Amino acid sequence: MPSLPQETRQWILTNKPTSLPSLSGPSQTFTLQTRPLPSLKPNQLLLKTLYISNDPAQRGWISAYADPARLYVPPAQLDAPMPARLIAEIVESTSEGHERGQHVTASASWSEYNVVDVGKVQMIKRIEGLVGETQYLGSLGLTGLTAWHGIVDVVRAEADDSVVVSGAAGATGSMVVQIAKHVLGCKRVVGIAGGAEKCKWVRSLGADECVDYKSGSFKEELVGATEGFVEVYFDNVGGSMLDLMLTRMKRHGRVAACGAVAEYNKDAGKGEGYGIKNWFEVISNRIEIKGFIIFDFAGQYAETVGKLVEAAKEGKIKMDGENETVVEVGFEGVVETWMKLFEGGNRGKLITKLV
């Protein structure tokens, strides 16, 4: 048996950004360092990272303006590795039931090797002929759970509803499109995505229409796609997109506030954030806007994963690899791959595969 690693490379949070994270220079956000690994205590695992989940929410965890009292998780700490969800292989275990070679999902960090408590991992249940293990970072992970509970429980979409989904070619949005159309049977589903190719893919998932926000006539096209207004808007973007959609909601419409990717890299200290201009729409049309975090539904995870698997077996949700962008890189490329989230460089879930 080869000797166990005594140290690991890690991407350390060095400077908390006020705008777009910096890859170099004096205010570089992350630095690559090698640090010693702690010895395993009882009920701990030594994990080798195989895949890393890239999530826009991580940007909020490292914000220089983040108030710990207002965050739903503790903010990422300076001089510590970046928190992340992973798929990893167990290299060593001090816990019964967790054996070397098994693959798990884990809440860990941007490290080649992590030492974690067993309570922070979940065993991967392979579903032969249906999904690959990376789906447990996407469709069957927190992404799929967010999509399901957001559209089903937060905005309570039904068959008679027309639904608009922003970020429809992203990890969460692409799942929302499929759940709304094929599981809930919503009468009309409109996606918003960037570029003709992404819109074509969103339509292939079941959207009745997809509007390209990069188009010079985007506003007019969105008005046309939402003629008669809509009951439900699933918002992954925030900013001017949310502002525009407030004018397209029916009276008593419902909005799920899931993400605000348009705002994450704005410097709030310089007043760069977008101020909502159509707020009176909320009042005059009695629009319901509800924010949510997937941890609100933690007690239902297992049941919901079962529903997602059943929907995939019935052909209602695609989990065939086309719903993810897997980027193969060495550990040196972890940060650059994560940054693709803010460049529109992914279709579906963005996953880093370490090679």
Side-chain angles (χ1 to χ4, degrees), residues 151 155-165 180-181 184-191 208 225-234 245 248-250 252-255:
I151 194 67
V155 286
R156 309 175 304 282
E158 298 177 344
D160 288 337
D161 290 332
S162 292
V163 178
V164 174
V165 184
K181 193 64 185 180
L184 302 178
C186 296
K187 67 179 180 183
R188 182 167 171 81
V189 177
V190 177
D208 298 283
T226 56
E227 184 178 358
F229 307 106
V230 301
E231 289 84 1
V232 171
Y233 173 46
F234 195 104
M245 274 305 304
R248 307 309 304 157
M249 301 300 297
K250 280 188 177 179
H252 303 291
R254 290 104 64 202
V255 178

Side-chain angles (χ1 to χ4, degrees), residues 84-315:
R85 290 283 294 172
L86 315 170
I87 290 177
E89 179 182 341
I90 299 175
V91 176
E92 189 57 83
S93 169
T94 58
S95 168
E96 271 190 53
H98 294 84
E99 307 295 336
R100 288 192 208 97
Q102 290 179 326
H103 288 191
V104 296
T105 56
S107 296
S109 70
W110 283 354
S111 304
E112 287 184 293
Y113 292 90
N114 284 273
V115 172
V116 302
D117 296 333
V118 293
K120 293 192 174 183
V121 308
Q122 297 79 38
M123 303 299 297
I124 289 179
K125 181 181 178 181
R126 296 186 182 276
I127 307 173
E128 293 300 328
L130 182 60
V131 298
E133 64 181 351
T134 52
Q135 296 293 328
Y136 283 93
L137 294 179
S139 299
L140 297 179
L142 295 182
T143 299
L145 293 168
T146 298
W148 182 281
H149 288 290
I151 194 67
V152 172
D153 297 315
V154 176
V155 286
R156 309 175 304 282
E158 298 177 344
D160 288 337
D161 290 332
S162 292
V163 178
V164 174
V165 184
S166 62
T172 302
S174 59
M175 287 291 289
V176 174
V177 166
Q178 296 178 84
I179 295 167
K181 193 64 185 180
H182 303 307
V183 178
L184 302 178
C186 296
K187 67 179 180 183
R188 182 167 171 81
V189 177
V190 177
I192 302 173
E197 282 302 311
K198 285 187 177 180
C199 276
K200 180 180 178 182
W201 181 63
V202 170
R203 284 190 288 268
S204 78
L205 297 176
D208 298 283
E209 186 54 84
C210 184
V211 186
D212 179 4
Y213 71 79
K214 295 182 178 180
S215 168
S217 57
F218 165 65
K219 183 175 180 180
E220 293 77 13
E221 291 175 30
L222 182 64
V223 169
T226 56
E227 184 178 358
F229 307 106
V230 301
E231 289 84 1
V232 171
Y233 173 46
F234 195 104
D235 183 35
N236 290 302
V237 175
S240 61
M241 190 84 72
L242 169 60
D243 204 27
L244 176 57
M245 274 305 304
L246 291 178
T247 70
R248 307 309 304 157
M249 301 300 297
K250 280 188 177 179
R251 192 158 290 169
H252 303 291
R254 290 104 64 202
V255 178
C258 179
V261 70
E263 300 291 294
Y264 291 153
N265 291 313
K266 300 289 180 65
D267 192 333
K270 295 180 179 178
E272 291 181 355
Y274 184 93
I276 296 295
K277 298 176 175 61
N278 292 316
W279 190 251
F280 188 67
E281 293 282 348
V282 178
I283 300 165
S284 63
N285 289 294
R286 289 80 110 188
I287 298 170
E288 173 191 333
I289 302 176
K290 186 171 183 180
F292 74 103
I293 299 297
I294 189 53
F295 303 148
D296 300 341
F297 302 94
Q300 302 175 51
Y301 285 179
E303 179 184 357
T304 303
V305 167
K307 292 176 180 177
L308 289 166
V309 169
E310 191 61 30
K313 288 179 178 178
E314 294 174 355

Side-chain angles (χ1 to χ4, degrees), residues 304-326:
T304 303
V305 167
K307 292 176 180 177
L308 289 166
V309 169
E310 191 61 30
K313 288 179 178 178
E314 294 174 355
K316 295 178 179 179
I317 297 177
K318 295 181 180 180
M319 298 186 189
D320 54 6
E322 287 190 14
N323 65 336
E324 58 186 10
T325 300
V326 180

Side-chain angles (χ1 to χ4, degrees), residues 37-103:
L37 282 165
S39 300
L40 263 65
K41 298 176 182 177
N43 293 313
Q44 286 191 327
L45 307 172
L46 174 61
L47 303 178
K48 179 182 179 181
T49 302
L50 303 176
Y51 299 94
I52 301 173
S53 174
N54 297 288
D55 301 289
Q58 291 171 288
R59 176 60 184 83
W61 305 346
I62 64 173
S63 173
Y65 299 119
D67 179 353
R70 304 290 293 170
L71 277 179
Y72 58 94
V73 292
Q77 299 298 305
L78 287 170
D79 198 38
M82 177 69 165
R85 290 283 294 172
L86 315 170
I87 290 177
E89 179 182 341
I90 299 175
V91 176
E92 189 57 83
S93 169
T94 58
S95 168
E96 271 190 53
H98 294 84
E99 307 295 336
R100 288 192 208 97
Q102 290 179 326
H103 288 191

